[in-house]
Amino acid sequence: MFNKLLAGITAGLMLLCTLSFNAQAAGYTQTRYPIVLVHGLFGFDSIAGIPYFYDIPDGLASGGARVFLAQVSATNSNEVRGEQLLSQVRQVLAITGATRVNLIGHSQGGLTARYVAAVRPDLVASVTSVGTPHKGSRVADLVRNVLPPGSVSESVARDVIQGVADLIDEISGGNLPQNPLAALDALTTPGTRTFNTRYPAGLPTTACGSGAARVNNVAYYSWGGIANYTNFYDVSDAILGATGLVFGDEDNDGLVGRCSNHLGTIIYDDYFQNHLDEVDQVFGLVSPFTSNPVTLFRAQANRLRNAGY
Ligand code: CA
């Protein structure tokens, strides 16, 4: 009798678990408006079938989201990249018949998304930034100091980076204009200060606080990481570990300081992720011990869905 009762309860619990899992799988990430993922500096939509956001687009789509990968200049100003993104947003709206989009931008992609939300808030339901240097990057500041405007070192560096950017653009089929120095100036502390004066929506008003949750009917969210070394097998950790030294005592993800990643509603500003972990790179090599980036993007899609976006 007891065994039968136990078996019945177990079967009931299993059915309940299956039902709740199915309910989650079916519409967990099914946002009302399409999601547009916006890459950062040196980024691309996909190369040889591998997205900049690696497993994240599939993770979002598997729960019902309509996901689009923007491709803007790998190196350029926030405004030039923003205009490119705006024209792609219009294409997404035309393809899907939707009236607005949810923009999720990584690194400089967050600044790019903010530009679009500022100039066309009617087309944007939400902006989510991930590891974005809203108040600049100390690494960009350092590079700018090493390469003063008009110097020989600046022109040599510009030519080298232009070559890299052109290569990324060519193999990812972008055919977009590149401007490495405009990109660098867009990511320095003075550069972001100028940008923020023009486009302040969602920015914290204090040094390390949160920003307005909604501005002009656009919802703003952010998250970021504060780790440098997270996965023994990822060679990029050594690079981010070196750049992270520039920050001294300040928490950072290798390229962006903790307080600089704040925008709108702060979901979490100190995940155990470095700058590339935030987009599930390289090739999914992230810390196995903390929240997976794919899980975080899916949770954000669910948050947007529940908020009616
Ligand atoms: Ca990694």
Side-chain angles (χ1 to χ4, degrees):
M1 175 66 188
F2 178 74
N3 282 348
K4 270 191 180 174
L5 187 66
L6 195 65
I9 291 171
T10 309
L13 281 176
M14 281 176 69
L15 182 66
L16 202 64
C17 288
T18 310
L19 285 175
S20 78
F21 176 77
N22 285 341
Q24 193 184 63
Y28 182 69
T29 62
Q30 197 167 354
T31 52
R32 177 177 176 189
Y33 302 111
I35 293 174
V36 180
L37 298 175
V38 190
H39 65 75
L41 183 70
F42 294 118
F44 47 86
D45 50 355
S46 64
I47 289 179
I50 299 169
Y52 172 90
F53 288 85
Y54 200 56
D55 275 340
I56 291 164
D58 280 350
L60 289 170
S62 70
R66 291 169 294 174
V67 184
F68 294 84
L69 307 178
Q71 181 165 26
V72 297
S73 292
T75 57
N76 221 316
S77 68
N78 298 321
E79 289 85 350
V80 169
R81 285 166 48 104
E83 285 295 326
Q84 295 165 352
L85 177 59
L86 176 55
S87 93
Q88 288 167 38
V89 165
R90 287 201 183 95
Q91 289 172 22
V92 169
L93 298 180
I95 291 166
T96 59
T99 52
R100 304 165 83 192
V101 293
N102 292 303
L103 298 173
I104 306 183
H106 175 242
S107 196
Q108 196 186 1
L111 297 163
T112 313
R114 278 176 50 202
Y115 173 87
V116 173
V119 300
R120 287 303 303 269
D122 55 317
L123 303 183
V124 181
S126 70
V127 170
T128 303
S129 73
V130 180
T132 294
H134 294 291
K135 293 189 173 171
S137 164
R138 287 201 194 194
V139 177
D141 293 346
L142 178 73
V143 174
R144 215 358 152 185
N145 283 338
V146 176
L147 308 171
S151 64
V152 174
S153 53
E154 182 199 48
S155 71
V156 171
R158 181 198 59 214
D159 291 348
V160 171
I161 296 169
Q162 177 88 38
V164 174
D166 285 342
L167 181 65
I168 293 170
D169 186 66
E170 191 171 325
I171 57 181
S172 61
N175 200 23
L176 294 161
Q178 305 298 332
N179 189 337
L181 295 179
L184 175 61
D185 287 332
L187 296 167
T188 59
T189 301
T192 50
R193 199 177 294 132
T194 305
F195 183 75
N196 291 344
T197 305
R198 288 181 194 143
Y199 312 107
L203 286 171
T205 48
T206 58
C208 199
S210 56
R214 282 172 78 85
V215 181
N216 288 333
N217 208 28
V218 178
Y220 287 87
Y221 303 87
S222 60
W223 77 79
I226 56 155
N228 292 168
Y229 296 92
T230 62
N231 187 303
F232 178 77
Y233 298 101
D234 192 335
V235 291
S236 70
D237 283 24
I239 299 166
L240 293 170
T243 53
L245 294 174
V246 174
F247 290 83
D249 291 339
E250 185 187 353
D251 286 339
N252 69 89
D253 69 0
L255 289 173
V256 180
R258 180 175 177 178
C259 296
S260 192
N261 75 37
H262 290 190
L263 178 74
T265 301
I266 299 166
I267 292 161
Y268 221 75
D269 66 354
D270 59 351
Y271 284 116
F272 190 74
Q273 296 183 338
N274 64 35
H275 199 66
L276 289 174
D277 293 340
E278 289 160 0
V279 284
D280 200 29
Q281 295 285 8
V282 174
F283 302 137
L285 291 175
V286 299
S287 166
F289 305 113
T290 53
S291 294
N292 187 275
V294 180
T295 306
L296 300 186
F297 274 75
R298 283 174 54 85
Q300 176 61 358
N302 184 252
R303 193 175 288 113
L304 295 170
R305 176 185 190 273
N306 292 340
Y309 308 132

